[in-house]
Coordinates of all heavy atoms in Angstrom, one line a residue:
Chain M
V655 N -41.1 -22.7 31.3 CA -40.2 -22.1 30.5 C -40.8 -20.9 29.7 O -41.9 -21.0 29.2 CB -39.7 -23.0 29.3 CG1 -38.5 -22.5 28.6 CG2 -39.3 -24.4 30.0
Q656 N -40.2 -19.7 29.9 CA -40.7 -18.6 29.2 C -40.0 -18.3 27.9 O -38.8 -17.9 28.0 CB -40.6 -17.4 30.2 CG -41.3 -16.1 29.6 CD -42.7 -16.2 29.4 OE1 -43.5 -16.5 30.2 NE2 -43.2 -16.1 28.2
A657 N -40.6 -18.5 26.8 CA -40.0 -18.3 25.5 C -40.0 -16.8 25.1 O -40.8 -16.0 25.7 CB -40.6 -19.1 24.5
E658 N -39.1 -16.3 24.3 CA -39.0 -15.0 23.9 C -39.8 -14.8 22.6 O -40.0 -15.8 21.9 CB -37.5 -14.5 23.7 CG -36.8 -14.5 25.1 CD -37.2 -13.4 26.0 OE1 -37.5 -12.3 25.5 OE2 -37.2 -13.7 27.2
V659 N -40.0 -13.5 22.2 CA -40.7 -13.3 20.9 C -39.9 -13.8 19.7 O -40.4 -14.4 18.8 CB -40.9 -11.7 20.8 CG1 -41.4 -11.4 19.5 CG2 -41.8 -11.3 21.9
A660 N -38.6 -13.7 19.9 CA -37.7 -14.2 18.8 C -37.9 -15.7 18.6 O -37.4 -16.2 17.6 CB -36.3 -13.8 19.0
D661 N -38.4 -16.4 19.5 CA -38.5 -17.9 19.4 C -39.8 -18.3 18.6 O -40.0 -19.5 18.5 CB -38.5 -18.5 20.8 CG -37.1 -18.3 21.5 OD1 -36.2 -18.3 20.8 OD2 -37.2 -18.1 22.7
I662 N -40.6 -17.3 18.2 CA -41.8 -17.7 17.6 C -41.5 -18.6 16.3 O -40.7 -18.3 15.5 CB -42.6 -16.5 17.2 CG1 -43.1 -15.8 18.5 CG2 -43.8 -16.8 16.3 CD1 -43.9 -14.6 18.3
G663 N -42.2 -19.7 16.2 CA -42.0 -20.6 15.1 C -40.9 -21.6 15.4 O -40.7 -22.6 14.6
C664 N -40.1 -21.5 16.5 CA -39.1 -22.4 16.8 C -39.7 -23.5 17.8 O -40.8 -23.3 18.3 CB -37.9 -21.8 17.5 SG -37.0 -20.7 16.5
E665 N -39.0 -24.6 17.9 CA -39.4 -25.6 18.9 C -38.7 -25.5 20.1 O -37.4 -25.2 20.1 CB -39.1 -27.0 18.2 CG -40.3 -27.5 17.4 CD -40.1 -28.9 17.0 OE1 -39.0 -29.4 16.9 OE2 -41.1 -29.6 16.8
L666 N -39.4 -25.7 21.2 CA -38.7 -25.9 22.4 C -38.4 -27.3 22.5 O -39.2 -28.3 22.2 CB -39.6 -25.5 23.6 CG -39.9 -24.2 24.0 CD1 -41.1 -24.0 25.0 CD2 -38.7 -23.5 24.5
L667 N -37.1 -27.6 22.9 CA -36.6 -29.0 22.9 C -36.0 -29.3 24.2 O -35.1 -28.5 24.7 CB -35.6 -29.2 21.8 CG -34.9 -30.5 21.6 CD1 -36.1 -31.6 21.2 CD2 -33.9 -30.5 20.6
V668 N -36.4 -30.4 24.8 CA -35.8 -30.8 26.1 C -34.6 -31.5 25.7 O -34.6 -32.6 25.0 CB -36.8 -31.7 26.9 CG1 -36.1 -32.1 28.2 CG2 -38.0 -31.0 27.2
E669 N -33.4 -31.0 26.1 CA -32.2 -31.7 25.7 C -31.8 -32.7 26.7 O -31.0 -33.7 26.4 CB -31.0 -30.6 25.6 CG -31.3 -29.7 24.4 CD -30.0 -28.9 24.2 OE1 -29.4 -28.4 25.1 OE2 -29.7 -28.7 23.0

Side-chain angles (χ1 to χ4, degrees):
Chain M
V655 188
Q656 182 63 58
E658 295 289 322
V659 173
D661 295 320
I662 289 175
C664 294
E665 270 189 335
L666 280 172
L667 177 67
V668 178
E669 290 190 321

